[in-house]
Amino acid sequence: MASRQKTSRKAAGTKAAIRRPQARAANGRAQSGDTGDDIGLDALVGHAGYAVRRFQLWIFQDFIKTLATVDIRPTQYSVMTVVGANPGLSQMAVAKRLGIERARLVHLLDSLEERDFVSRIASATDRRSHALHLTARGRTALAQFKRLAAEHERHVAEKIGKENRERLLQILACFT
Amino acid sequence: MASRQKTSRKAAGTKAAIRRPQARAANGRAQSGDTGDDIGLDALVGHAGYAVRRFQLWIFQDFIKTLATVDIRPTQYSVMTVVGANPGLSQMAVAKRLGIERARLVHLLDSLEERDFVSRIASATDRRSHALHLTARGRTALAQFKRLAAEHERHVAEKIGKENRERLLQILACFT
DNA sequence: ATCAATTGTTGTCGTCAACAACAATCTTTC
DNA sequence: GAAAGATTGTTGTTGACGACAACAATTGAT
């Protein structure tokens, strides 16, 4: 135990030993055989943020796994989808539409351009901005991505139920 | 434009100029007055992940803003809530229950212990593990946090509707 | 007694949001 | 038409966060 005590664990052992008086002796639970399933969450249940965080974690992992063969992540997919549906958009417009910072979009487009999915074309009307387009390769690739994304969406429907998924989309439509 | 061209922008200007032939002349949209509201999302609408991402972004920002006066973030709140409802839990049990990695929980508890909200007490039965408890200060603090969190939850209800919020919680209950 | 598993910890890596600065360029205003 | 202000793409930094991999201390099983 030497290393754990002498290293930088600021106050774990020490403080705890001092503050003992008020330490309620672990109300019946303590560290017995906690499988992690019988632990109450108290106020946490009923918090939308907590449920959404867990859900988003699950849904992103499934998306990444389902599109692992093509190595496309959710944000990259969203960028290509928007650009594909609206060719010629500026980076600013895409960033604003997707709720991404334009600073972040720079790197996203760098990688997508390296893979020859997207191209930044100098705008004719505004020499500051770039008109974004899918390349020919990007268009055929996006078609495949959409098939895989649809498969991912089926996973979601299996997980929470087909009608629940649609209800969810309807509830959250104001954020898209 | 010197710096933008000569610096490390790998292929923006150069490549784009070369790949010109196939560049469809921006189908009517181009870079006119894009306010960002009239941009189609195509397949993106209908993707649960996208809607959930945007929602989680909003909900976390509101949570952080609503609890800014006490400087508590969502994850910190979830830890204190679970520990408060289940005193004596080990770090492993808390991490598993909340879907946090135990490596990450270490830092979370470090900060909460520095602020005297939580204390790690050496377990009597297992000298490896720590029994987690709220301090007296932590208990009174958590009570205030819960009031502020309830206010945040009201913001959510205002945003998506009271009944929609409850429907949402019901749909995502399997993830909590 | 020995070997595998567990617990807390440290460290690294990559993703992501949030800011702040900057050069180039556009737009407005006088 | 020139100066002032706003916009666009870019670079950089910061911090929260998830994922992994190691490690020492300890426990439990063989």
Side-chain angles (χ1 to χ4, degrees), chain B residues 17 48 50 58-59 76 82 99 102 117 127 133 163 171:
Chain B
Y50 178 70
W58 182 90
I59 211 170
Q76 297 174 314
V82 167
R102 61 190 203 279
F117 288 156
R127 287 162 59 194
H133 293 267
E163 63 292 334
I171 293 175

Side-chain angles (χ1 to χ4, degrees), chain B residues 135-152:
Chain B
T135 65
R137 185 158 179 270
R139 271 188 292 276
T140 65
L142 180 56
Q144 185 191 4
F145 301 164
K146 285 185 179 175
R147 284 192 295 272
L148 291 171
E151 183 183 335
H152 155 70

Side-chain angles (χ1 to χ4, degrees), chain A residues 100-112:
Chain A
I100 303 175
E101 285 197 41
R102 62 189 202 277
R104 166 130 188 74
L105 189 58
V106 172
H107 302 295
L108 283 169
L109 289 175
D110 283 350
S111 74
L112 290 177

Side-chain angles (χ1 to χ4, degrees), chain A residues 9-24:
Chain A
R9 280 283 31 269
K10 293 132 201 159
T14 55
K15 250 198 200 164
I18 299 175
R19 206 187 297 105
R20 183 51 44 90
Q22 150 268 331
R24 313 155 40 188

Side-chain angles (χ1 to χ4, degrees), chain A residues 128-168:
Chain A
R128 293 171 302 179
S129 65
H130 297 156
L132 300 177
H133 294 268
L134 292 187
T135 65
R137 184 159 180 270
R139 270 188 292 276
T140 65
L142 180 56
Q144 184 190 4
F145 301 163
K146 284 184 179 175
R147 283 193 296 273
L148 291 171
E151 183 184 337
H152 154 70
E153 215 62 32
R154 280 193 295 275
H155 297 169
V156 177
E158 286 173 15
K159 180 73 177 178
I160 67 177
K162 190 171 182 297
E163 63 292 335
N164 276 341
R165 176 183 160 277
E166 290 176 5
R167 221 170 299 167
L168 195 76

Side-chain angles (χ1 to χ4, degrees), chain B residues 1-2 53 61 91-92 102-103 120 128-130:
Chain B
M1 154 178 304
R53 171 183 161 270
Q61 284 172 347
Q91 297 186 192
M92 193 60 202
R102 61 190 203 279
R120 295 186 243 221
R128 292 173 303 183
S129 66
H130 296 156

